[in-house]
Amino acid sequence: MTMTTTSMKDVARAAGVSVGTVSNVLNRPEAVAEETRSRVQAAIAELGYVRNDSARQLRAGRSRTVAVVVLDVANPFFTDVVRGAEPLIESAGGVVTVCDSGEDVRRERRHLEILEEQRVLGLLITPVDDTSASWIERLSGHDIPLVLVDRGAGRHPHCSVAVDDVHGGRLAAQHLADRGHTRIAFVGGPASIPQVADRLAGCREVCDETGVALDVFTTAGLNFAAGREAVEQMLGLEERPTAMFCANDLVALGALQALTMHGVKVPQECAIIGYDDIDFAAAAAVPLSSIRQPRSQLGRTAAQLLFDEIGEGAGHTHRNVVFQPELVARASTSQEL
């Protein structure tokens, strides 16, 4: 079956007016006489006309779309960030589209190329790594406002919302050291992701200060499979760590599953702490200790910074907002050695 699309010309013909009058009814109704406006509105309703906003926006050189580019759309952390941002974006008349870079620079670049062509209203992005900087600067140079999410701006002239991940790494390692662990494993990667590097740096600081031995298992991603694979490697060590600090909760949940499959008791034989405190953490078979990030607040603050920049234009002053993480201790680290 072929579907026909009703055009403004069809509405004009049915109402006995010009296309310009239909356009005025849609965009400046106060400029059209009430009788004429009613006739056009009746024709719109009868024909089922839907205005083509995308074409109109392209002609105006702008869009209502705010793009959110995340590292992994399957990670509930990013789902919560988007949920935090969406109400404010919608209340401002915008619509959210989510792009998944999959922690792949080439895929991220392809998304950014398309978003640039579409002239999106703004962009919230968690870059894959520092190589993303050139494309971010390109978008900014084309007057597309953007905010870095879960990433400090560093030397880049942009707004950002982030969490102090070095402090978060310290919280996790100190918690394990306080429970009596003298050898721990850090699991996460790639190391090129700044959040992973910062969490490891904080962990390493505490290990150096307390004399705790640290084994680092660098993973190809931040997912269940990475946690399972790290456990397989760890179990092959002659001297095994008695605790694991995983760079996010998905890795930690994968590790918990693998330890359980191998008959390793958590936390009696191996404690685990994750990062993010996603909803699944508390619901795990052994409730997972984690470093909590204010996920929804990150998204909400990022959206506010974006619309501040859109509204203030050239007079906007960039802000870099840093939140502090907090330790949430649960059963997976409850055993003292």
Side-chain angles (χ1 to χ4, degrees):
M1 182 175 68
T2 302
M3 294 185 63
T4 58
T5 302
T6 302
S7 67
M8 285 179 65
K9 288 183 178 179
D10 296 326
V11 174
R13 189 179 304 113
V17 299
S18 68
V19 171
T21 299
V22 176
S23 178
N24 283 336
V25 170
L26 293 170
N27 299 301
R28 295 188 304 123
E30 72 282 354
V32 182
E34 183 178 351
E35 189 275 332
T36 303
R37 185 169 67 244
S38 298
R39 201 163 69 244
V40 171
Q41 290 170 340
I44 287 172
E46 182 181 350
L47 297 174
Y49 170 73
V50 178
R51 65 192 297 166
N52 186 348
D53 263 2
S54 61
R56 183 171 59 86
Q57 290 159 10
L58 286 172
R59 285 195 297 272
R62 57 187 172 81
S63 165
R64 292 183 183 180
T65 300
V66 173
V68 184
V69 182
V70 302
L71 293 178
D72 180 8
V73 75
N75 187 337
F77 168 80
F78 290 110
T79 304
D80 290 342
V81 169
V82 173
R83 285 176 176 164
E86 196 165 25
L88 193 149
I89 293 170
E90 290 182 345
S91 69
V95 63
V96 175
T97 185
V98 178
C99 302
D100 181 13
S101 69
E103 301 173 9
D104 184 323
V105 172
R106 289 172 297 181
R107 186 171 172 180
E108 176 189 69
R109 188 168 300 164
R110 179 58 182 151
H111 284 313
L112 295 180
E113 286 176 353
I114 294 172
L115 295 173
E116 181 185 32
E117 292 170 2
Q118 293 181 343
R119 302 290 297 166
V120 292
L121 179 63
L123 176 68
L124 307 181
I125 180 171
T126 303
V128 172
D129 57 31
D130 290 339
T131 63
S132 308
S134 60
W135 259 97
I136 289 173
E137 297 307 320
R138 173 171 169 167
L139 290 171
S140 183
H142 288 174
D143 296 323
I144 297 177
L146 62 91
V147 176
L148 303 179
V149 179
D150 198 28
R151 182 73 54 84
R155 295 167 299 174
H156 304 296
H158 303 296
C159 286
S160 67
V161 291
V163 172
D164 186 346
D165 284 316
V166 174
H167 180 58
R170 290 187 61 89
L171 286 175
Q174 190 64 59
H175 177 62
L176 296 176
D178 289 345
R179 309 306 284 175
H181 296 283
T182 58
R183 188 176 201 92
I184 68 176
F186 176 86
V187 183
S192 58
I193 296 178
Q195 295 94 321
V196 174
D198 286 349
R199 292 166 196 178
L200 174 57
C203 175
R204 197 184 295 279
E205 286 177 3
V206 169
C207 288
D208 290 344
E209 293 164 7
T210 58
V212 171
L214 177 63
D215 296 314
V216 178
F217 296 87
T218 302
T219 62
L222 294 168
N223 48 40
F224 290 103
R228 290 194 294 263
E229 291 166 8
V231 166
E232 297 297 331
Q233 295 177 46
M234 189 182 77
L235 293 180
L237 295 178
E238 186 173 332
E239 188 176 357
R240 239 193 259 171
T242 58
M244 301 176 72
F245 168 32
C246 299
N248 77 2
D249 286 343
L250 295 184
V251 175
L253 291 169
L256 174 61
Q257 182 186 67
L259 288 171
T260 302
M261 289 174 61
H262 283 282
V264 178
K265 295 179 181 179
V266 177
Q268 293 88 340
E269 297 176 274
C270 185
I272 306 177
I273 185 169
Y275 205 105
D276 292 339
D277 195 33
I278 61 176
D279 291 341
F280 295 138
V286 179
L288 182 67
S289 295
S290 189
I291 303 300
R292 176 178 292 162
Q293 300 199 74
R295 305 178 302 276
S296 294
Q297 194 173 359
L298 279 168
R300 185 165 58 251
T301 304
Q304 184 61 64
L305 290 174
L306 181 69
F307 280 98
D308 285 348
E309 181 170 354
I310 291 170
E312 295 167 8
H316 176 71
T317 299
H318 293 301
R319 293 173 54 207
N320 307 120
V321 180
V322 180
F323 295 98
Q324 292 301 314
E326 60 180 297
L327 169 69
V328 180
R330 298 192 179 96
S332 69
T333 58
S334 63
Q335 185 81 16
E336 289 192 23
L337 298 184

